[in-house]
Amino acid sequence: RKRVWSISTGSEALNGILGGGIQSMSITEVFGEFRCGKTQMSHTLCVAAQLPRDMGGAEGKVAFIDTEGTFRPDRIKAIAERYGLDPDQTMENIIVSRAYNSEQQMDYITKLATIFAEDGQYRLLIVDSIMALFRVDYSGRGELSERQQKLNIMLARLNHISEEFNVAVFVTNQVQADPGAALMFASNDRKPVGGHVMAHASATRLLLRKGRGEERVAKLNDSPDMPEAECSYIITPGGIAD
Ligand code: GTP
Ligand code: MG
């Protein structure tokens, strides 16, 4: 039987509330307003996944699907240096695919399943962000049910990949920007987009929000085995930290 393991987020406090870090064999979703650190956390995980097990890593390769053009090799290199890894080698272990529409995003996920089957060293698949292209491609009135149907297929495939290859799947998500919703929900209680389909697919859901200055706050909203909890973390040149 396959065993669930986890990858360090870079913050001990955050690993603590997650029960170790980002788990394999399921989808972890982080959602929150702009600049709360979703992309920086994605970059940190790209490096952490390559670390030895006793440093919170999975000694593996990483696949990164970039839907917003925000992947930065320079950030990877700076984070690699924090952990004493060779920056160029670290970059070589990350396969980055830039998707420009939701169909391409789906194609990359399918191709990655083939790559994971051929090269058993992959331990982490990141999609940053999962919903951005869907929101553009299906923005019209009456397109919501088609969007949700396509999203459901994509998320089922991601869940299948996480189990079949025992990898951690990490997706970032946006919060509803509807001004009415912003008034209705306190800033620490924003709703992620993607509705029930998204909620059902993610085993672990983590809400991120801004604190004072460099400080950020993470709240565990949903977890298969950990209680609701909150902690703070910071964004540094070396990635997410305490
Ligand atoms: P959206 O994608 O716009 O929704 O935001 P996000 O949640 O992905 O935010 P992101 O991870 O891009 O975080 C941006 C924050 O990280 C900003 O506040 C930057 O100041 C900070 N940041 C980015 N790079 C660095 C860095 O090299 N050093 C430090 N200290 N902070 C950084
Ligand atoms: Mg981002």
Side-chain angles (χ1 to χ4, degrees):
R1 265 197 81 77
K2 290 170 190 161
R3 195 178 60 86
V4 174
W5 41 263
S6 51
I7 299 170
S8 171
T9 60
S11 156
E12 288 305 320
L14 184 49
N15 292 344
I17 69 168
L18 288 165
I22 305 304
Q23 293 189 349
S24 69
M25 297 193 60
S26 64
I27 297 177
T28 297
E29 175 193 0
V30 295
F31 64 98
E33 59 186 320
F34 67 100
R35 291 180 63 185
C36 62
K38 302 181 293 294
T39 296
Q40 294 306 315
M41 198 173 287
S42 303
H43 282 72
T44 307
L45 287 165
C46 282
V47 178
Q50 303 186 37
L51 291 169
R53 300 269 177 186
D54 63 4
M55 287 178 73
E59 296 171 8
K61 296 183 184 177
V62 180
F64 192 111
I65 297 177
D66 179 8
T67 73
E68 295 182 313
T70 50
F71 182 83
R72 295 287 177 279
D74 285 350
R75 297 292 302 121
I76 297 295
K77 290 177 182 176
I79 298 166
E81 274 165 12
R82 163 189 174 187
Y83 287 107
L85 296 179
D86 179 74
D88 294 322
Q89 186 61 51
T90 304
M91 259 309 293
E92 278 173 29
N93 288 329
I94 307 168
I95 179 172
V96 183
S97 314
R98 170 74 161 106
Y100 291 92
N101 58 57
S102 59
E103 210 173 303
Q104 232 176 19
Q105 187 177 331
M106 185 66 174
D107 286 347
Y108 285 141
I109 289 167
T110 306
K111 281 190 188 118
L112 285 172
T114 308
I115 291 172
F116 290 3
E118 286 166 358
D119 180 348
Q121 295 182 83
Y122 282 88
R123 289 293 163 264
L124 173 65
L125 167 55
I126 293 173
V127 185
D128 181 21
S129 92
I130 188 80
M131 288 296 301
L133 297 173
F134 278 96
R135 295 180 90 187
V136 176
D137 292 352
Y138 302 94
S139 57
R141 277 171 182 273
E143 288 184 301
L144 190 64
S145 81
E146 195 190 345
R147 184 191 87 175
Q148 291 302 88
Q149 212 177 322
K150 291 271 163 58
L151 179 66
N152 201 19
I153 294 167
M154 178 176 291
L155 291 168
R157 192 158 296 182
L158 286 172
N159 260 316
H160 184 89
I161 287 172
S162 76
E163 290 174 20
E164 182 170 9
F165 304 110
N166 195 359
V167 304
V169 172
F170 181 82
V171 306
T172 70
N173 197 4
Q174 303 160 329
V175 286
Q176 276 166 17
D178 174 48
L183 287 174
M184 276 163 60
F185 302 108
S187 67
N188 62 350
D189 199 23
R190 295 272 174 79
K191 282 224 190 296
V193 295
H196 292 299
V197 168
M198 193 70 229
H200 178 74
S202 307
T204 305
R205 305 192 100 181
L206 196 62
L207 165 62
L208 307 182
R209 69 172 195 267
K210 285 176 218 156
R212 291 203 189 101
E214 298 287 280
E215 197 208 23
R216 301 288 189 273
V217 180
K219 184 181 174 214
L220 186 64
N221 273 6
D222 244 313
S223 162
D225 46 19
M226 296 297 288
E228 249 188 39
E230 229 178 65
C231 75
S232 61
Y233 63 93
I234 55 171
I235 305 172
T236 75
I240 300 297
D242 287 294

